[in-house]
Amino acid sequence: MSISNQSLAKYKLVFLGDQAVGKTSIITRFMYDKFDSTYQATIGIDFLSKTMYLEDRTVRLQLWDTAGQERFRSLIPSYIRDSSVAVIVYDVTNRTSFLNVTRWVQEVRVERGGDVNIFLVGNKTDLLDKRQVSLEESDAHARELGVHFIETSAKAGFNIKALFRRIGASLPGSDAGRGEDAANGANGGGPATVQLEAKAKPAAASACSC
Amino acid sequence: MSGRLHHGAGALCAAAVGGRATVEEPATTKLRRSGSGASCASSGCQMAPPHGRFSSGGGRASSGGGALSPLNCKQLAYAPPLVAAAPAAPPALPSPPPSCSGGGAWLVAHPLDLDSPGSRSAGNSVTAVIVPTQQHAAPADGAGACRPASPAGGCPDFLAFASPSGPRVHWRQKRTRGAPQRPGGVVPGLNGLNDGVWNALRTDTGRVTNMAALLRAVRDGGVSPHLRPAVWPLLLGLIAPGDSEAARADKWAAARGEFERLAALSADDGAAAAYYERRGAQEPWRATTRRISADATRTASDGPLFRGAARDGAVGRLELLLRAYALHDPGTGYCQGMADLAAPFVHLYASNAEAFAVYRCLMRPLAQNFAEGLAAIAGQLRELRALLAALEAPLLRHIEGLGAGGFETAFQMLLLMFRRELSWGDTFTFWEALWAGEALARAPLRVHAVAALFSARRRELLRLESLDELVVWVNGIGSDPDHPLNPLTLAADAHQMWAFLASARAGEGCGCVPTRAAGGGGAAAAAAAAAASISSGAAVAFGLAA
């Protein structure tokens, strides 16, 4: 196991976004398929890694979870210097967190230029009646910024696998993955799903082969 | 352990550290405290009385290991001497602030706190349990006996380790390495500040007669949980040791009044916003309250009060406390992590006003850690690096090789004083032991605690091969069943590292150094130089100079 792990291609993912938007929850849902509404606020940085099986190969994802507190940002750059993917999360029920996305994207671009795939993730779609940011608006904003976009609910487990599937497909040298990603109707910049899906059946994500 | 005690001139000089064998077990030596004065009569080496754990029981003197030598006396001087060895204190200490000193800076000024003969506890015999703290054996022939630079000068205890024939110089002693690790956590109060000690160290009106003894008891054994509400205000500087009953009541009343004013203000969003935003707030009041709510609901889920039926009430109280604090200090407002620091105060005090009053004292020196830009924490991370450079150079090189030389990985434990790494109960013990150590050292020791932990776990650290392994290791440090964190060891190590460096610094001006062989002296000199360079930076980093 350790030998195969050694030989696996490793990719660094950094999770960014405002306080309490669900960065840790998304990671925990992906890692352990669990959700807890009382995760402690992340202070500083956390690290987890997981092997992911793509169509044509197996990769090791290194997930870097960061604190959302704005004042802690000065600690973050050193960790995103060599990241392949930046996952910028906002809370669809908190408009401010959505408006701050632009700053996060800028920060990543300043640090990494074009050598990074950025995913914009609107989390907490399960809180239907509290939504402050529409799918359409987010989609348009993502296109404007030139980043991938998807909505998720870590609580309901909705679209989490799809998110990571798309991340896997976006990794350098992942042609087969990219093909499948396109087959899911979710190529870069387009909405991964429609809002109705979130309402009707959160389990839809399990249709994903990952 | 076997050996004999030495009662010189009524002094409490017994050390039980006659030889290397005595350090193989963390045994304690009980002895009867008999009267006043505390110098090692036979050594000519004046020193502070050995620190110890005081208990009220009538324990009898038991045996120590081997005969005392002058160096044995010094070996007890783990506690930075408060009286005799003034050089051991860091230079250029600030004058104590009027209240809420946080680091116990009032110690400097208060007449009742020192271990002067007159301040001994009312002539009663108090049993002291002395833990042999510095195990490195002195040369048997006593050739290493040092000559104090001046009659009043202390003998830097690092010289005992610097002997060419002795063991390798290292700040950490076997005592801590061999300290009992109790999987279930320590039992605060068992050896620390319990009812007996607490009562013995106070007058009928509640004035503390011997603050230094109280601090040592707390540092070495923590505080009995039921005494914490009374002791924490003392440790955090809300109450001064010599305060009369009336003075204490006044201070509480003032703090209560302040809280009630802020709580009333926070209940009125409009007024609070105007007040907050006019006084240097970094963001709108609404944004602050939103973030406070988001964090209050997910903090301290390991605290008994924050679970089950009482949870909602506790969360509401935590929220109120944090709002009041944000209004009290709009420049700092609320920053993540402050909820972690505040939750124990909600637990400790049934009264919101009292929780606020004491929390405010905690935050007085810590608020800058949360300030925009994190300059203070960045300074402390540099300080951590400097400590490891001085004491654990190979380890530092290894960590740098992993790409973690900036020590951002230590951010959480430093910012939250191990709240996340320690269990709920152990957090209380660690904090109070740390504060007591800081008051005794008259220096902040949070960075030392982290450095000491890294140093103590150097073998594990040296095995790590990548930055991610390091982050996983750091974040998992509190949940490793094979190596449970002991809060008292953590605090004692911090103090011990500080004392080592302080001694090294003091040793620069001590005539002892040249009498040593080059090897030991060189190492000591290097430590002294490092200590000197660290101390100036530390004062700035911790805002002590402010």
Side-chain angles (χ1 to χ4, degrees):
Chain A
M1 185 63 187
S2 64
I3 292 170
S4 65
N5 271 349
Q6 294 282 330
S7 59
L8 289 180
K10 288 180 185 165
Y11 295 98
K12 192 161 167 177
L13 279 61
V14 63
F15 284 73
L16 303 167
D18 278 11
Q19 179 182 333
V21 294
K23 299 178 288 297
T24 305
S25 293
I26 289 173
I27 290 174
T28 312
R29 174 60 81 180
F30 172 61
M31 292 288 298
Y32 312 112
D33 200 19
K34 279 195 310 196
F35 177 82
D36 184 338
S37 60
T38 59
Y39 290 127
Q40 297 185 100
T42 305
I43 305 292
I45 200 119
D46 199 3
F47 173 86
L48 300 100
S49 72
K50 183 165 178 164
T51 303
M52 191 172 168
Y53 302 95
L54 302 174
E55 280 290 292
D56 59 336
R57 62 188 180 138
T58 306
V59 297
R60 190 87 180 152
L61 297 184
Q62 302 185 320
L63 313 180
W64 292 84
D65 191 9
T66 66
Q69 174 78 42
E70 192 177 341
R71 284 178 227 181
F72 296 161
R73 280 191 198 181
S74 63
L75 278 176
I76 292 174
S78 63
Y79 289 99
I80 57 179
R81 240 159 245 157
D82 57 344
S83 53
S84 309
V85 177
V87 181
I88 296 174
V89 186
Y90 68 93
D91 172 358
V92 299
T93 70
N94 177 353
R95 188 153 190 87
T96 311
S97 72
F98 174 69
L99 296 176
N100 284 339
V101 159
T102 312
R103 277 200 293 174
W104 286 110
V105 171
Q106 278 168 359
E107 205 153 309
V108 172
R109 293 246 160 93
V110 164
E111 198 67 47
R112 295 285 292 146
D115 300 337
V116 61
N117 279 307
I118 300 179
F119 283 80
L120 182 61
V121 177
N123 191 35
K124 307 196 188 179
T125 58
D126 54 285
L127 300 172
L128 299 174
D129 51 345
K130 291 185 181 168
R131 186 184 271 270
Q132 294 182 356
V133 186
S134 73
L135 180 70
E136 294 72 24
E137 184 183 6
S138 311
D139 184 32
H141 193 48
R143 286 176 193 276
E144 210 173 284
L145 293 166
V147 300
H148 303 261
F149 168 63
I150 190 169
E151 281 193 344
T152 61
S153 166
K155 186 173 185 179
F158 169 68
N159 255 352
I160 300 296
K161 285 180 180 172
L163 165 66
F164 283 91
R165 196 78 207 156
R166 291 185 60 199
I167 289 172
S170 78
L171 296 172
S174 184
D175 296 336
R178 193 173 296 282
E180 184 185 319
D181 194 33
N184 281 349
N187 47 22
T193 180
V194 291
Q195 202 176 332
L196 276 176
E197 251 182 275
K199 288 178 185 170
K201 41 173 186 174
S206 62
C208 174
S209 64
C210 53
Chain B
M1 277 172 60
S2 67
R4 59 188 166 83
L5 285 181
H6 181 105
H7 290 265
L12 185 61
C13 192
V17 199
R20 204 172 303 182
T22 61
V23 304
E24 297 305 323
E25 50 180 343
T28 58
T29 300
K30 294 185 178 181
L31 51 128
R32 181 176 293 276
R33 193 161 190 179
S34 56
S36 62
S39 65
C40 297
S42 62
S43 69
C45 160
Q46 242 190 331
M47 56 173 285
H51 72 283
R53 300 169 178 174
F54 295 92
S55 70
S56 58
R60 295 181 60 85
S62 69
S63 59
L68 281 175
S69 74
L71 278 173
N72 287 342
C73 294
K74 285 201 297 291
Q75 284 164 344
L76 269 181
Y78 157 54
L82 285 172
V83 181
L93 277 163
S95 55
S99 68
C100 281
S101 65
W106 32 261
L107 254 182
V108 181
H110 201 272
L112 288 176
D113 57 5
L114 297 177
D115 253 338
S116 59
S119 69
R120 296 246 178 257
S121 58
N124 290 331
S125 169
V126 178
T127 302
V129 182
I130 304 297
V131 180
T133 55
Q134 304 205 357
Q135 86 292 5
H136 293 295
D141 58 2
C146 77
R147 292 182 296 275
S150 67
C155 299
D157 35 358
F158 77 89
L159 290 176
F161 329 160
S163 163
S165 60
R168 193 174 77 84
V169 175
H170 195 269
W171 69 269
R172 195 162 193 260
Q173 278 104 52
K174 203 149 188 169
R175 174 189 66 79
T176 48
R177 251 180 286 158
Q181 300 280 329
R182 290 169 226 170
V186 298
V187 185
L190 201 63
N191 295 313
L193 189 66
N194 53 28
D195 282 317
V197 184
W198 176 238
N199 292 330
L201 295 177
R202 289 183 313 149
T203 65
D204 292 343
T205 59
R207 290 163 74 118
V208 177
T209 52
N210 188 341
M211 189 62 187
L214 186 147
L215 290 172
R216 285 195 295 268
V218 174
R219 179 195 60 191
D220 296 340
V223 180
S224 292
H226 69 282
L227 291 177
R228 283 181 178 138
V231 176
W232 279 29
L234 200 57
L235 294 174
L236 289 169
L238 177 69
I239 302 296
D243 277 350
S244 65
E245 221 164 348
R248 289 196 302 271
D250 283 351
K251 286 181 177 177
W252 280 115
R256 197 171 293 119
E258 166 79 349
F259 173 77
E260 276 157 12
R261 183 179 72 82
L262 295 171
L265 192 59
S266 83
D268 177 347
D269 272 342
Y275 181 91
Y276 186 62
E277 289 154 28
R278 240 192 354 257
R279 285 171 170 74
Q282 307 278 323
E283 61 183 0
W285 174 243
R286 201 179 143 70
T288 299
T289 54
R290 182 171 184 146
R291 293 189 307 104
I292 287 175
S293 302
D295 278 0
T297 51
R298 53 176 178 157
T299 297
S301 49
D302 54 342
L305 207 58
F306 291 83
R307 288 194 300 246
R311 188 187 140 73
D312 288 350
V315 167
R317 291 185 56 212
L318 179 59
E319 228 174 299
L320 179 59
L321 174 59
L322 293 169
R323 281 163 164 249
Y325 184 82
L327 289 170
H328 165 71
D329 179 6
T332 307
Y334 174 73
C335 180
Q336 290 199 303
M338 286 164 69
D340 290 79
L341 295 181
F345 293 83
V346 170
H347 172 91
L348 213 54
Y349 295 96
S351 149
N352 289 332
E354 289 176 10
F356 172 79
V358 187
Y359 173 69
R360 197 183 60 175
C361 290
L362 170 82
M363 286 304 292
R364 177 98 23 127
L366 297 186
Q368 57 165 349
N369 286 354
F370 295 94
E372 190 68 46
L374 298 182
I377 280 281
Q380 288 162 48
L381 293 175
R382 283 195 298 275
E383 154 100 345
L384 170 61
R385 185 195 161 85
L387 286 172
L388 291 177
L391 300 172
E392 290 287 355
L395 177 60
L396 176 63
R397 279 196 297 278
H398 180 72
I399 291 173
E400 283 178 334
L402 300 178
F407 286 97
E408 290 93 342
T409 43
F411 177 65
Q412 178 180 290
M413 53 176 79
L414 194 55
L415 187 75
L416 304 184
M417 297 191 300
F418 290 91
R419 170 66 272 269
R420 296 276 182 94
E421 286 75 19
L422 293 167
S423 70
W424 178 257
D426 283 353
T427 299
F428 289 75
T429 308
F430 171 67
W431 285 6
E432 60 208 11
L434 182 77
W435 299 331
E438 289 181 334
L440 286 164
R442 297 178 226 159
L445 299 178
R446 297 188 299 279
V447 179
H448 292 77
V450 178
L453 180 63
F454 274 57
S455 173
R457 300 285 180 92
R458 84 180 75 75
R459 281 189 195 146
E460 290 168 55
L461 280 161
L462 288 170
R463 279 199 291 269
L464 303 177
E465 291 174 354
S466 64
L467 176 61
D468 37 298
E469 281 183 17
L470 176 67
V471 174
V472 169
W473 181 85
V474 168
N475 289 347
I477 200 163
S479 46
D480 178 358
D482 295 331
H483 299 99
L485 287 178
N486 181 324
L488 293 176
T489 304
L490 208 54
D493 281 358
H495 196 176
Q496 192 152 354
M497 178 181 277
W498 173 86
F500 178 82
L501 289 167
S503 300
R505 203 158 49 228
E508 281 181 308
C510 173
C512 302
V513 174
T515 69
R516 294 293 174 168
S533 72
I534 289 165
S535 66
S536 56
V540 176
F542 285 93
L544 278 178

